[in-house]
Amino acid sequence: MKLTIIGTGYVGLVTGACFAEMGNNVTCVDIDQHKIAGLKKGVLPIYEPGLEPMVANNHKNGRLRFCTSLTDPAAKSNMYFIAVGTPPEEDGSADLQYVLGVAREIGRHITQHTIVVDKSTVPVGTADKVKAAIDDELAKRGAKVSFDVVSNPEFLKEGAAVEDFMRPDRVIIGTDSEQVRKVMRDLYLPFMRTHERLLFMGVRDAEMAKYAGNAMLATKISFMNEIANLCERLGVDVENVRNGIGSDSRIGYSFIYPGAGYGGSCFPKDVKALIRMAKDHDYEPKVLGAVEARNNAQKQVLFEKIRHRFGPNLKGLCFGVWGLAFKPGTDDLREASSVVLLNALIGAGASIKAYDPVAMQTARREFPRAWFDSNQLKLMDEQYQALEGADAMVLVTEWKPFRHPDFDRIRKIMKQAVVFDGRNQYDPALLRQAGFEYSGIGRATPDKINL
C-alpha cells in the first residue's frame, strides 16, 4: 500500500518505519524542515530502541520517504494517518488544533476516495470534527470526493515502541464501513501471522478505548503508590505486598511497581483529558481525580524523604542523581519525576550531579540555562562520576546499568553513604549491611516509619 503519515514524533515515525518494514511505500510528512532534513540524513529526532536502523534501511531502499508538505508528489496517497500531537490545554482538555489543521490540509488536496486514520490520541467525537473539517475544505473547492475517517489508536510503550508495533497484542480499528475494515485488515495482517488480533468497533468506541486503557494503567500505578505510602507508616515492606497481590491472576504484576510517580507524554495528558471530558458532560470522575492527585503528590516523595533526612536548607549539599528520563528506554523528560525533584532540590539550595544513559542531550536542551550557569546542575559523562563527593545518591530511573552497581566503590567515593531508591531496585538489608543508610518507597524500616 501507499501510505502518508503526517507527523514524525514517536507515533508517526514508528508507524511509518514499521509499515515500510513490511513492504509498504510510506511518506512521512512534517512541517519542521530541520527535522525532515535530519531524517533524510539518518538523524532521528527521538531515541527509540531499534528505530534508527529500521528508518535508515527503509529510507535507503526507497520504501520510506520524508517531505514537508502534502503538496509534495511523494505525499500523494489514498490513505493518510494523522499522527500529530494533542498537547493539554490549561483546563486539561486535549488541544486539537494540529489534528484539525491536518484534516483541513487533507481536504485541500484529496482527489479520490481516501481513508483518513486518526492515529493521534484524541477525545471521543474527534472523528466527527475531522470529517467536518475535511467536508468544509472540499466545499470551498466545490469538490465532491468521498472519504472515511477511521480511529486507529496507538498502544506503543516508549522504549519498546518498535516491538509493540511489529508484534501487537491488539490493533483496534474504529469504523462502520465494511470496505474500510477490509483495507485495514489487509494492512495489519502481516503484523499478526500466528493469529489475528484485530478488534473492530465503532469510531467513538475506539477513541474511548485508548483513553480508558491508559487511565487504567495509571490507576494501577497510583493505587500501588498509595499502598506503598501506607506500608511505610505500618512497618510493612511493600515489595512483599506487591508479590502477594501480583500472584493473583486477576491482578497480575504489570504496573504495580511502587515508585516516584508516572510521567511521559501519555498517562498524565490522557488522565487530564479524560477528567476534562467527564466534567464537560456533567460527570465528576472521582477515581480519575484521585489517580492524578496521588501521582502529583508521589513526585514529591523523594524530595520529602531528602528533606526529612537533611533538613529544609540543603545549601552546601550535593546529590548524585541516577536517571532523568521518565522511564528506561527513552530520552523523554516530559512530566518526568526527575524534573520535579531537581526543581525542588535546586530551590532548597542543593547542587546536583546527574547522569542518564540516554537523556543527557535532552536534559541540556530542556533544563533551565540558569541551573547550569550557577553550577547547581552538572551533567556527568559516567554514572559513578555523578556520585563522587555526593552527600546522597538518588535513583530516579531504573536503567539496567543502575540495577547492580558496585556499592563498595560507591561507598568509597561518596561523602556520605546515603541512598534514596525511588524505584525499589535495591535490597534494603544488603545496603544497610554494607554501611549505607537506605530509603526506598514503601520499604519497612526498624522504626516502622520512614518519611
Side-chain angles (χ1 to χ4, degrees):
M1 294 186 183
K2 191 174 189 302
L3 313 173
T4 299
I5 315 292
I6 303 161
T8 57
Y10 278 97
V11 176
L13 192 56
V14 171
T15 298
C18 290
F19 277 143
E21 183 75 5
M22 287 301 189
N24 298 286
N25 291 311
V26 179
T27 298
C28 289
V29 184
D30 200 297
I31 60 173
D32 188 329
Q33 296 183 1
H34 178 74
K35 187 185 291 188
I36 292 299
L39 284 166
K40 289 179 177 180
K41 297 176 183 177
V43 179
L44 273 60
I46 58 172
Y47 173 81
E48 187 63 41
L51 184 59
E52 186 173 353
M54 183 179 287
V55 169
N57 180 61
N58 284 286
H59 182 57
K60 177 182 177 182
N61 291 322
R63 292 188 297 269
L64 183 60
R65 298 178 175 86
F66 303 101
C67 66
T68 58
S69 172
L70 291 183
T71 60
D72 191 303
K76 188 173 179 57
S77 170
N78 59 0
M79 185 178 288
Y80 294 88
F81 285 78
I82 301 177
V84 294
T86 53
E89 299 272 25
E90 287 188 10
D91 64 357
S93 61
D95 183 354
L96 296 178
Q97 64 171 310
Y98 304 111
V99 170
L100 297 181
V102 169
R104 286 189 285 271
E105 191 71 13
I106 291 171
R108 296 184 190 111
H109 293 97
I110 57 175
T111 58
Q112 58 185 338
H113 178 75
T114 300
I115 297 174
V116 179
V117 183
D118 277 335
K119 200 71 176 167
S120 301
T121 300
V122 294
V124 175
T126 299
D128 296 332
K129 295 179 180 179
V130 168
K131 182 178 184 302
I134 296 173
D135 277 331
D136 185 53
E137 292 300 328
L138 290 172
K140 290 177 181 177
R141 292 166 49 195
K144 293 184 178 180
V145 182
S146 63
F147 65 94
D148 290 282
V149 179
V150 182
S151 176
N152 175 213
E154 53 84 15
F155 296 94
L156 307 177
K157 299 185 295 291
E158 289 190 37
V162 172
E163 177 70 16
D164 286 346
F165 200 104
M166 297 300 289
R167 297 174 179 82
D169 53 13
R170 85 285 204 197
V171 174
I172 290 179
I173 309 292
T175 180
D176 296 321
S177 166
E178 191 58 42
Q179 180 59 31
V180 171
R181 289 189 181 195
K182 181 180 183 303
V183 173
M184 296 301 287
R185 176 179 280 112
D186 289 345
L187 179 62
Y188 275 107
L189 277 181
F191 297 93
M192 43 193 78
R193 301 301 294 173
T194 56
H195 64 282
E196 186 171 322
R197 294 180 289 278
L198 282 164
L199 298 175
F200 290 102
M201 59 187 69
V203 174
R204 295 171 74 88
D205 304 337
E207 290 171 335
M208 186 61 174
K210 167 64 176 179
Y211 277 106
N214 278 352
M216 171 58 81
L217 298 178
T219 300
K220 292 183 73 174
I221 294 170
S222 281
F223 172 81
M224 204 63 209
N225 283 332
E226 187 107 309
I227 294 298
N229 296 336
L230 180 58
C231 284
E232 287 195 12
R233 287 153 177 81
L234 297 175
V236 174
D237 189 339
V238 73
E239 288 302 305
N240 291 329
V241 175
R242 180 181 64 80
N243 286 323
I245 67 174
S247 59
D248 186 331
S249 60
R250 297 169 300 173
I251 298 172
Y253 291 99
S254 298
F255 292 88
I256 61 167
Y257 290 86
Y262 61 75
S265 63
C266 295
F267 288 5
K269 174 175 69 71
D270 293 351
V271 170
K272 288 179 187 294
L274 198 51
I275 290 172
R276 186 70 257 165
M277 273 189 274
K279 291 182 176 180
D280 285 346
H281 289 80
D282 299 321
Y283 182 75
E284 184 62 34
K286 294 182 179 179
V287 172
L288 294 174
V291 168
E292 183 181 39
R294 166 45 50 207
N295 191 60
N296 290 338
Q298 199 68 20
K299 290 182 178 181
Q300 301 288 342
V301 166
L302 280 174
F303 177 69
E304 292 301 323
K305 288 175 175 290
I306 291 169
R307 189 167 62 175
H308 180 77
R309 168 61 176 79
F310 292 101
N313 186 356
L314 303 180
K315 189 172 182 179
L317 297 177
C318 176
F319 295 89
V321 174
W322 276 6
L324 296 171
F326 85 92
K327 63 180 284 189
T330 180
D331 62 350
D332 197 344
L333 295 177
R334 285 175 288 183
E335 301 280 351
S337 301
S338 65
V339 177
V340 176
L341 175 64
L342 266 59
N343 265 300
L345 288 174
I346 290 174
S351 62
I352 300 161
K353 294 195 290 186
Y355 173 77
D356 188 285
V358 170
M360 302 295 268
Q361 287 188 354
T362 307
R364 290 187 181 93
R365 184 174 65 248
E366 299 293 335
F367 288 153
R369 186 72 254 163
W371 290 3
F372 299 103
D373 293 341
S374 65
N375 285 324
Q376 281 190 278
L377 175 62
K378 295 180 180 179
L379 301 180
M380 313 308 291
D381 296 327
E382 189 267 340
Q383 68 186 71
Y384 291 101
Q385 288 180 358
L387 303 181
E388 292 176 357
D391 291 283
M393 164 189 164
V394 189
L395 176 74
V396 183
T397 314
E398 66 276 29
W399 287 94
K400 289 180 180 179
F402 302 158
R403 292 185 183 179
H404 197 253
D406 185 345
F407 280 110
D408 287 337
R409 178 181 176 184
I410 290 172
R411 191 178 65 252
K412 292 175 182 177
I413 63 177
M414 289 181 67
K415 186 176 180 180
Q416 300 187 62
V418 181
V419 173
F420 295 96
D421 182 359
R423 301 296 174 183
N424 288 357
Q425 290 295 290
Y426 308 127
D427 186 323
L430 289 179
L431 260 68
R432 290 180 183 124
Q433 288 174 10
F436 287 89
E437 289 183 46
Y438 174 87
S439 180
I441 307 294
R443 310 307 297 269
T445 58
D447 62 358
K448 293 189 178 181
I449 299 177
N450 181 16
L451 294 174

